[in-house]
Amino acid sequence: VGSNNTCRDNFKRQHLANAQRILFMSILDVSFVICDADARGCAIRFASKGFVDLFGHPLNTCIGKTYGPFVGCLSIVGSGKTGLQSLAKTNGLSVNVVEKGFKYLMCQVKEQYARIRNNSDLTGCALQLNQKQDGTVFVCEMRLEKKMHPLTGWPFYLVVQRDISEFVSIPQLIQAAACGEYDALVQRFDIASNQLLAPFRSTEGANALHETARAMWQSS
């Protein structure tokens, strides 16, 4: 009987370990980054396979980068007014509307970070224009949460992304941001937030996230 119990326990442990590995691999398919809350600019410490696939940047070029200048709105305006003029022309908008929209979008990201900085129970939500390595600009739904590793106490941000260009066009987002209709647009996606963060909500998913964060913290 003792031998049978030992075999059963070993099988359970092996099955659990396999299940955790499968869950971890499924989480990696989600586009997300782990950002160091203590580092200047909240530097990216980990990027998932899903993030690499979505943005096209090699993994080794992601680590240490600040999100905004790397793939966010700042990556688009980094080249100065030329980038905004090109975006305006491509999408049939005036440069004035694009500039106003971008200013609002960038302020929204800062507000969301400020909102969750001192309250880990809150989830930040932002619709943004992000840019891939090949220069493609797309509408990105972002969900942000501040986490604290249960053992190390290391604070970090979980930032999850989803391409929603199929539902919201670039002109639609810019015009909403420039004309005071941004909040209404964001509210349309509040229900979907649970789906976007669902892989991290379960106990197993949270453990996998914290294990990833711990490994990144130790290697930094």
Side-chain angles (χ1 to χ4, degrees), residues 65-115:
K65 295 292 197 306
T66 298
Y67 191 96
F70 186 44
V71 296
C73 282
L74 283 174
S75 70
I76 302 170
V77 301
S79 57
K81 203 164 185 176
T82 303
L84 296 183
Q85 289 173 338
S86 176
L87 196 65
K89 183 178 180 180
T90 301
N91 291 280
L93 299 171
S94 70
V95 175
N96 181 58
V97 168
V98 172
E99 288 180 337
K100 187 176 180 180
F102 262 73
K103 183 177 180 180
Y104 188 88
L105 290 175
M106 289 188 286
C107 285
Q108 282 301 304
V109 171
K110 292 180 181 179
E111 286 185 11
Q112 291 304 312
Y113 271 109
R115 179 171 173 264

Side-chain angles (χ1 to χ4, degrees), residues 19-62:
Q20 288 174 335
R21 279 194 292 270
I22 292 172
L23 175 65
F24 180 67
M25 294 306 295
S26 68
I27 286 178
L28 290 183
D29 287 333
V30 177
S31 177
F32 73 94
V33 291
I34 294 175
C35 299
D36 190 341
D38 286 337
R40 184 176 181 180
C42 298
I44 295 173
R45 297 300 187 202
F46 175 84
S48 69
K49 176 181 177 297
F51 182 87
V52 171
D53 291 343
L54 177 60
F55 288 94
H57 288 282
L59 178 60
N60 64 331
T61 66
C62 301

Side-chain angles (χ1 to χ4, degrees), residues 2 17 26 71 87 123 127 132 134 156 209:
S26 68
V71 296
L87 196 65
T123 297
L127 301 186
K132 301 182 181 183
D134 64 5
F156 63 92
L209 176 64

Side-chain angles (χ1 to χ4, degrees), residues 151-164:
L151 297 179
T152 66
W154 178 50
F156 63 92
Y157 290 107
L158 168 67
V159 186
V160 187
Q161 305 84 17
R162 180 172 70 124
D163 184 348
I164 59 168

Side-chain angles (χ1 to χ4, degrees), residues 111-158:
E111 286 185 11
Q112 291 304 312
Y113 271 109
R115 179 171 173 264
I116 67 174
R117 184 175 297 123
N118 298 316
N119 192 338
S120 59
D121 293 329
L122 296 177
T123 297
C125 173
L127 301 186
Q128 292 288 299
L129 290 180
N130 279 188
Q131 183 170 228
K132 301 182 181 183
Q133 184 191 33
D134 64 5
T136 300
V137 177
F138 69 99
V139 180
C140 181
E141 177 190 5
M142 295 172 58
R143 299 286 166 169
L144 310 89
E145 289 188 340
K146 187 175 183 181
K147 304 285 188 181
M148 187 79 71
H149 193 278
L151 297 179
T152 66
W154 178 50
F156 63 92
Y157 290 107
L158 168 67

Side-chain angles (χ1 to χ4, degrees), residues 133-210:
Q133 184 191 33
D134 64 5
T136 300
V137 177
F138 69 99
V139 180
C140 181
E141 177 190 5
M142 295 172 58
R143 299 286 166 169
L144 310 89
E145 289 188 340
K146 187 175 183 181
K147 304 285 188 181
M148 187 79 71
H149 193 278
L151 297 179
T152 66
W154 178 50
F156 63 92
Y157 290 107
L158 168 67
V159 186
V160 187
Q161 305 84 17
R162 180 172 70 124
D163 184 348
I164 59 168
S165 301
E166 179 182 355
F167 309 104
V168 181
S169 67
I170 292 175
Q172 185 179 2
L173 177 59
I174 293 176
Q175 288 176 323
C179 302
E181 299 173 357
Y182 175 85
D183 289 343
L185 193 60
V186 170
Q187 288 175 7
R188 286 174 47 189
F189 292 89
D190 275 349
I191 297 176
S193 66
N194 289 332
Q195 298 176 359
L196 195 59
L197 292 169
F200 308 96
R201 295 299 195 200
S202 67
T203 300
E204 295 81 3
N207 288 340
L209 176 64
H210 284 138

